[in-house]
Amino acid sequence: MDLVELWNSLVWPLVRLLASLSLGLLVANLIEALNWTRFMARLAAPLIRLGHMKDVVGASFSMGFFSGMAANTMLAEAYAEKRLTPRELVLANLFNSLPTYFLHLPNMFFITAPFLGSAAVLYVGLTLFAAILRTLGILFIGRLLLPPLPDGCVVCHLGDGRVTFKDALKKSWTRFKRRIKTIVFFTTPIYVGIHYLSVNGFFTFLEKFVSEHLGFLSWLSPQAVSIVVFHMAAEFTAGLAAAGALLGAGDLDVKQVVMALLVGNVLSTPMRAFRHQFPYYAGIFKPAMAAKLIAWNQALRAVSIIVVAVGYSYLG
């Protein structure tokens, strides 16, 4: 591998990732230092009160519609300061699946629509419904597992004093310098390691191995299974291209195509999520907690999509 290729495939993407992490961390610290989290938490107050969740969870949920990285950084800061327990952190991170989905919704729809036409609305709508189910499920679990906030308080743990922008910037910069060292320390070697695993075909081997052992999908037609295989063995757009071709030729109807894409989504996303999310999650939350959060996220996502797929199979 020459220097130009190394720069394009490893160094520059890592630099961009670290820059994004740094910006997200600085923004999250600044917002909290300015006490804007109080206003943002009020926006999500009815939901987090229902789920017995704390102020910072509501602020993170609101922030998640604009920046997933900043939302996670906000949770990590609260966890590091012992304002969230491990259980609360896991539930809060899972609770943010809905705003995270909305961040990717426009991109997903405008990639899907050219391949699937009107079927794209159905596929994207079902995955959106799955994200809503995840959020409602976490609210229910939180209400069962977490104690209610004292007197129904949502924002009482946030500072209430007025802070000048200069003082807030100074405070956030001090916290940023302390936190960014840990992020770089964990993120850089993990990102490099995953890059070389990918370059040497590790993830391709895993995806190919799984795609070659799909006997449990015998209830799908061979054409539909081919969509699942393309979905797993290549990128998402390869599965969409196969789906679009089969749909256009009349070999599969809309329901068969949507079911195949939902199955491919369940089977292919966990490995890709680990590959792409673990480096920056490990920098924000540290490796052990990062692996735990990703595992819970992918398990809940898979369950919600399976529930939606089964429902669509019988009712669609």
PDB file of all heavy atoms in Angstrom, residues 148-154 156-157:
ATOM      1  N   PRO A 148     -39.169   6.493  39.990  1.00  0.00           N
ATOM      2  CA  PRO A 148     -39.681   7.772  39.475  1.00  0.00           C
ATOM      3  C   PRO A 148     -38.828   8.932  39.977  1.00  0.00           C
ATOM      4  O   PRO A 148     -38.216   8.863  41.044  1.00  0.00           O
ATOM      5  CB  PRO A 148     -41.100   7.840  40.034  1.00  0.00           C
ATOM      6  CG  PRO A 148     -41.086   6.940  41.224  1.00  0.00           C
ATOM      7  CD  PRO A 148     -40.109   5.837  40.904  1.00  0.00           C
ATOM      8  N   LEU A 149     -38.768   9.990  39.182  1.00  0.00           N
ATOM      9  CA  LEU A 149     -38.039  11.174  39.601  1.00  0.00           C
ATOM     10  C   LEU A 149     -38.753  11.823  40.777  1.00  0.00           C
ATOM     11  O   LEU A 149     -39.989  11.814  40.835  1.00  0.00           O
ATOM     12  CB  LEU A 149     -37.938  12.171  38.445  1.00  0.00           C
ATOM     13  CG  LEU A 149     -37.166  11.694  37.221  1.00  0.00           C
ATOM     14  CD1 LEU A 149     -37.274  12.711  36.104  1.00  0.00           C
ATOM     15  CD2 LEU A 149     -35.714  11.452  37.569  1.00  0.00           C
ATOM     16  N   PRO A 150     -38.028  12.411  41.729  1.00  0.00           N
ATOM     17  CA  PRO A 150     -38.674  13.022  42.884  1.00  0.00           C
ATOM     18  C   PRO A 150     -39.627  14.139  42.472  1.00  0.00           C
ATOM     19  O   PRO A 150     -39.252  15.048  41.736  1.00  0.00           O
ATOM     20  CB  PRO A 150     -37.492  13.563  43.704  1.00  0.00           C
ATOM     21  CG  PRO A 150     -36.359  13.657  42.737  1.00  0.00           C
ATOM     22  CD  PRO A 150     -36.574  12.548  41.769  1.00  0.00           C
ATOM     23  N   ASP A 151     -40.864  14.016  42.913  1.00  0.00           N
ATOM     24  CA  ASP A 151     -41.894  15.019  42.629  1.00  0.00           C
ATOM     25  C   ASP A 151     -42.089  15.235  41.137  1.00  0.00           C
ATOM     26  O   ASP A 151     -42.470  16.316  40.690  1.00  0.00           O
ATOM     27  CB  ASP A 151     -41.541  16.368  43.287  1.00  0.00           C
ATOM     28  CG  ASP A 151     -41.444  16.246  44.795  1.00  0.00           C
ATOM     29  OD1 ASP A 151     -42.265  15.504  45.381  1.00  0.00           O
ATOM     30  OD2 ASP A 151     -40.551  16.878  45.382  1.00  0.00           O
ATOM     31  N   GLY A 152     -41.793  14.210  40.341  1.00  0.00           N
ATOM     32  CA  GLY A 152     -41.971  14.335  38.899  1.00  0.00           C
ATOM     33  C   GLY A 152     -40.986  15.271  38.246  1.00  0.00           C
ATOM     34  O   GLY A 152     -41.226  15.775  37.152  1.00  0.00           O
ATOM     35  N   CYS A 153     -39.878  15.560  38.926  1.00  0.00           N
ATOM     36  CA  CYS A 153     -38.914  16.544  38.424  1.00  0.00           C
ATOM     37  C   CYS A 153     -38.179  16.024  37.193  1.00  0.00           C
ATOM     38  O   CYS A 153     -37.749  14.889  37.148  1.00  0.00           O
ATOM     39  CB  CYS A 153     -37.897  16.870  39.512  1.00  0.00           C
ATOM     40  SG  CYS A 153     -36.690  18.107  38.998  1.00  0.00           S
ATOM     41  N   VAL A 154     -38.030  16.890  36.207  1.00  0.00           N
ATOM     42  CA  VAL A 154     -37.319  16.520  34.992  1.00  0.00           C
ATOM     43  C   VAL A 154     -36.040  17.326  34.835  1.00  0.00           C
ATOM     44  O   VAL A 154     -35.010  16.825  34.430  1.00  0.00           O
ATOM     45  CB  VAL A 154     -38.221  16.727  33.752  1.00  0.00           C
ATOM     46  CG1 VAL A 154     -37.436  16.548  32.462  1.00  0.00           C
ATOM     47  CG2 VAL A 154     -39.388  15.754  33.792  1.00  0.00           C
ATOM     48  N   CYS A 156     -34.701  19.383  37.383  1.00  0.00           N
ATOM     49  CA  CYS A 156     -34.213  19.930  38.648  1.00  0.00           C
ATOM     50  C   CYS A 156     -32.741  19.631  38.907  1.00  0.00           C
ATOM     51  O   CYS A 156     -32.147  20.228  39.791  1.00  0.00           O
ATOM     52  CB  CYS A 156     -35.065  19.418  39.813  1.00  0.00           C
ATOM     53  SG  CYS A 156     -35.095  17.621  39.935  1.00  0.00           S
ATOM     54  N   HIS A 157     -32.149  18.711  38.150  1.00  0.00           N
ATOM     55  CA  HIS A 157     -30.734  18.396  38.367  1.00  0.00           C
ATOM     56  C   HIS A 157     -29.811  19.285  37.546  1.00  0.00           C
ATOM     57  O   HIS A 157     -28.593  19.206  37.685  1.00  0.00           O
ATOM     58  CB  HIS A 157     -30.472  16.928  38.018  1.00  0.00           C
ATOM     59  CG  HIS A 157     -31.252  15.963  38.852  1.00  0.00           C
ATOM     60  ND1 HIS A 157     -30.974  15.718  40.171  1.00  0.00           N
ATOM     61  CD2 HIS A 157     -32.328  15.194  38.549  1.00  0.00           C
ATOM     62  CE1 HIS A 157     -31.835  14.826  40.653  1.00  0.00           C
ATOM     63  NE2 HIS A 157     -32.667  14.504  39.688  1.00  0.00           N
TER      64      HIS A 157
END
